[in-house]
Amino acid sequence: DTGVSQNPRHKITKRGQNVTFRCDPISEHNRLYWYRQTLGQGPEFLTYFQNEAQLEKSRLLSDRFSAERPKGSFSTLEIQRTEQGDSAMYLCASSLVASGFGDTQYFGPGTRLTVL
Amino acid sequence: AQKITQTQPGMFVQEKEAVTLDCTYDTSDPSYGLFWYKQPSSGEMIFLIYQGSYDQQNATEGRYSLNFQKARKSANLVISASQLGDSAMYFCAMRERGDMRFGAGTRLTVKP
């Protein structure tokens, strides 16, 4: 039984550097979500894909952030020119959409980013 | 505007007792879904329970039940027979369309 996996689990980088995170969803899940969580807060939605199409992006997702899901399977989230405010846990979730709003999102373990 | 409100930053409960975690939400959309997730200190988000806005009955999953009061826009989580392993952060979330909004969470501590 393989759940959602994320790599790397931890990333320390210097301000101004680019970083890329990878998320592998549960196989056959057609939706993939990215969230950001800072200490003491709930996750904040960033973007989501249905298959390879990026359907929605939050206003939180500045121009320095870009996400892709080229073949409708794994996804990458890239942050360019990192800033200290980007330090957070980046969570990925996947779901299988049937109908309505009841598709349960299953989360990965997250990637903790620290920008020095 | 805050869509999901969890007014209890922290809660304590004695082992084997029941506890209710509060959640209120704000939406003008008639179609939405409500979720509760548990986040232990390890950091993973664990799905607990789901309630659809058109569901007539309150959702239940084992020791978890969701007290859904649509007119009051509340979706409280009830955990029965608390266990030490229930100590964690609990997040209420609402989904209207694509994105899901989370509350700030409630830290539950179960005392032996």
Side-chain angles (χ1 to χ4, degrees):
Chain A
D1 179 25
T2 55
V4 179
S5 61
Q6 292 186 247
N7 287 288
R9 295 292 306 276
H10 304 273
K11 179 71 177 178
I12 300 174
T13 191
K14 293 183 179 180
R15 190 176 52 184
Q17 297 294 307
N18 299 344
V19 294
T20 300
F21 310 140
R22 176 178 170 129
C23 171
D24 287 88
I26 295 171
S27 60
E28 298 175 0
H29 276 192
N30 51 3
R31 279 202 178 170
L32 188 148
Y33 301 78
W34 285 100
Y35 294 86
R36 181 174 66 189
Q37 186 178 23
T38 53
L39 203 60
Q41 300 295 318
E44 296 173 300
F45 169 79
L46 293 178
T47 188
Y48 87 96
F49 295 83
Q50 180 149 326
N51 299 313
E52 65 274 10
Q54 189 172 18
L55 295 189
E56 191 168 340
K57 292 195 295 184
S58 164
R59 289 172 296 171
L60 294 174
L61 212 65
S62 75
D63 292 344
R64 296 184 298 105
F65 288 70
S66 63
E68 294 182 343
R69 194 183 184 198
K71 296 183 180 179
S73 56
F74 73 91
S75 175
T76 58
L77 177 68
E78 181 183 17
I79 309 174
Q80 296 182 327
R81 305 182 303 282
T82 52
E83 302 172 356
Q84 288 183 326
D86 296 332
S87 295
M89 177 76 85
Y90 290 83
L91 296 167
C92 175
S94 72
S95 70
L96 179 63
V97 174
S99 61
F101 300 91
D103 58 301
T104 299
Q105 296 181 25
Y106 294 91
F107 282 78
T111 294
R112 181 168 296 284
L113 173 67
T114 302
V115 182
L116 302 176
Chain B
Q2 183 68 282
K3 291 263 188 176
I4 300 288
T5 303
Q6 295 181 254
T7 57
Q8 307 152 315
M11 288 282 286
F12 291 89
V13 65
Q14 204 69 36
E15 191 179 8
K16 299 181 185 177
E17 292 187 350
V19 63
T20 298
L21 306 184
D22 294 342
C23 173
T24 57
Y25 59 92
D26 182 30
T27 181
S28 57
D29 197 323
S31 299
Y32 53 89
L34 297 160
F35 301 79
W36 277 91
Y37 282 84
K38 172 184 178 181
Q39 188 175 42
S41 55
S42 57
E44 61 194 295
M45 295 283 286
I46 302 168
F47 166 74
L48 296 178
I49 197 166
Y50 162 78
Q51 179 87 41
S53 61
Y54 294 116
D55 293 345
Q56 295 295 315
Q57 294 187 328
N58 288 343
T60 60
E61 289 286 348
R63 295 186 298 112
Y64 304 107
S65 61
L66 199 152
N67 184 2
F68 181 44
Q69 298 188 42
K70 193 170 182 177
R72 294 185 177 184
K73 295 186 178 178
S74 76
N76 298 341
L77 177 70
V78 180
I79 305 175
S80 62
S82 297
Q83 302 172 356
L84 295 177
D86 293 336
S87 294
M89 284 290 290
Y90 287 81
F91 292 98
C92 178
M94 177 178 67
R95 182 151 170 242
E96 293 170 288
R97 293 179 180 81
D99 66 332
M100 188 148 74
R101 305 283 186 100
F102 286 80
T106 295
R107 180 170 296 282
L108 177 66
T109 303
V110 180
K111 298 191 286 185

